[in-house]
Amino acid sequence: MTETPQQFRERLSQEAVAWQVRLSSGAVSDATRAEFDHWRQQSAAHEQAYQETTQLWQQLSDPLQADRQRRLALAAAAQRLRRQSRRRTLGLAVAASFVLLMLAGLFPDYIRHPLADYRTHIGEQTSIQLADGSVIHLNTDTAVNVSLSDQERHIELLSGEAEFEVAHDRTRPFRVSAGHTTTEALGTRFIVRYDGNGGNVTLLQGKIRTAAPNTTATLSAGQQIAFNSDNLGTVQTADVNSAEAWRHGRLLMNFVPLKQAIAEINRYRRGQIRLLDDKLGEKEVNIAVDIQHIDAWLEALERTMGVKVERLGGWV
């Protein structure tokens, strides 16, 4: 999907910070350095984002940046804070905790995996081309770490959903781990979805092998398998069109309970849809939703199913 200039700049800033953290964390392999150089040389905007991040990093890490007056001001402020009463301190702590809880509820994606190599927020989608020519398409609220070496190409899906277009390279297996499950492929295209407890793998083209601690399965194109922390499910025939519809800005679901459809839609909007009628939630529906116009789908739902939609501000 097309990024706005602001989204592009924000993404580059996030990527630049992630690179700075990786490069400052200790020993850096030649493969990682090559991948960083490739990222940095993609455009002038990439270079500018990195230079700005480097300057900020130096300011934050250099204690000599603080002059004597700043140190005296900080010391005086600390002394005033220590003189405050216990009641006021507790009040501030409660208020701060409330704010943090509220932010965590409304913006959970901002505190999940903040140091991931690449990530998207709720409602965002983006594509990343790796140094080996492979492409990762990140769906809403997704975080991944990338490690390319001379022996393998390893992607860790921390949470969310991603489609992988794998560049052919017989000498370096391409592996995607999600929890304790690892999917290996060569020259293929597949989707992995993971919520921290379990998920599924859908093969669009080629052949893959998926392994959990206790089981292993081989998938052919058009097949899907679910997994949890220890085991794989049985191989099933996948609805490929529905599985990759998000790549085209759509959600397609056929003959699923309304509550399942709403749970899926809620992945793409910060304000949540709450279903208050359990009986209605069990009714099977077929949906085709434009991710950018979910409210239009809600309006159509009112007309076609006779339900009542109440809106509480901009969030619920």
Side-chain angles (χ1 to χ4, degrees):
M1 299 180 66
T2 304
E3 290 181 302
T4 65
Q6 181 178 354
Q7 290 173 333
F8 177 69
R9 289 192 296 271
E10 290 178 352
R11 177 169 64 81
L12 289 189
S13 295
Q14 292 177 6
E15 293 177 3
V17 170
W19 274 117
Q20 185 64 43
V21 171
R22 291 181 69 184
L23 297 174
S24 303
S25 61
V28 179
S29 67
D30 293 340
T32 298
R33 177 65 65 176
E35 186 182 353
F36 165 66
D37 291 339
H38 173 77
W39 177 88
R40 187 173 175 180
Q41 295 168 6
Q42 288 184 50
S43 71
H46 285 73
E47 176 65 22
Q48 180 180 352
Y50 181 70
Q51 293 298 333
E52 291 174 351
T53 299
T54 300
Q55 292 175 8
L56 178 60
W57 190 274
Q58 291 172 347
Q59 292 174 6
L60 293 175
S61 60
D62 185 358
L64 296 179
Q65 291 291 330
D67 58 18
R68 183 173 182 274
Q69 289 184 345
R70 187 181 304 170
R71 293 196 300 272
L72 290 174
L74 289 174
Q79 189 176 14
R80 287 196 300 271
L81 286 174
R82 286 193 294 269
R83 289 199 300 262
Q84 290 178 340
S85 68
R86 178 178 176 81
R87 182 177 179 182
R88 176 172 173 78
T89 301
L90 289 174
L92 289 173
V94 170
S97 298
F98 176 78
V99 170
L100 289 174
L101 287 173
M102 182 180 67
L103 291 176
L106 296 177
F107 302 93
D109 47 318
Y110 279 83
I111 60 176
R112 277 196 295 266
H113 312 298
L115 298 181
D117 291 344
Y118 303 99
R119 65 185 182 128
T120 56
H121 295 304
I122 293 174
E124 292 183 341
Q125 295 174 341
T126 192
S127 297
I128 303 151
Q129 182 163 3
L130 304 182
D132 72 326
S134 299
V135 179
I136 307 176
H137 305 282
L138 303 184
N139 198 3
T140 177
D141 194 11
T142 297
V144 299
N145 284 333
V146 176
S147 177
L148 303 182
S149 70
D150 295 336
Q151 289 73 42
E152 71 167 352
R153 297 164 290 172
H154 179 231
I155 313 299
E156 181 184 12
L157 178 62
L158 301 169
S159 66
E161 184 175 25
E163 179 179 321
F164 302 90
E165 296 183 22
V166 183
H168 185 68
D169 186 345
R170 287 184 178 275
T171 65
R172 291 193 298 168
F174 190 100
R175 299 185 175 102
V176 178
S177 62
H180 298 296
T181 298
T182 299
T183 297
E184 181 175 335
L186 281 172
T188 192
R189 190 162 65 93
F190 62 100
I191 296 172
V192 182
R193 178 167 169 172
Y194 179 59
D195 65 5
N197 297 309
N200 58 63
V201 180
T202 305
L203 181 58
L204 306 176
Q205 294 177 0
K207 181 173 285 190
I208 57 177
R209 183 180 67 181
T210 299
N214 299 319
T215 47
T216 301
T218 300
L219 274 65
S220 298
Q223 293 183 327
Q224 181 182 83
I225 192 167
F227 62 86
N228 56 31
S229 58
D230 297 313
N231 297 295
L232 300 176
T234 57
V235 176
Q236 306 283 340
T237 300
D239 183 346
V240 173
N241 289 333
S242 297
E244 65 171 346
W246 60 268
R247 288 272 291 107
H248 310 287
R250 305 272 290 171
L251 291 180
L252 301 178
M253 304 184 75
N254 296 313
F255 301 106
V256 299
L258 178 61
K259 63 181 181 181
Q260 180 180 335
I262 289 178
E264 185 69 16
I265 288 170
N266 275 335
R267 297 176 60 217
Y268 295 84
R269 65 195 314 271
R270 200 168 294 284
Q272 296 289 287
I273 303 171
R274 301 297 183 190
L275 183 62
L276 303 182
D277 188 331
D278 293 338
K279 185 176 179 180
L280 179 65
E282 297 298 333
K283 186 171 182 179
E284 285 193 344
V285 295
N286 299 315
I287 70 168
V289 181
D290 185 330
I291 293 173
Q292 299 300 320
H293 298 91
I294 292 175
D295 285 348
W297 175 78
L298 288 173
E299 294 171 1
L301 196 66
E302 287 187 280
R303 296 192 301 270
T304 58
M305 295 188 64
V307 301
K308 184 177 182 181
V309 179
E310 295 285 354
R311 292 170 174 81
L312 306 179
W315 296 102
V316 180

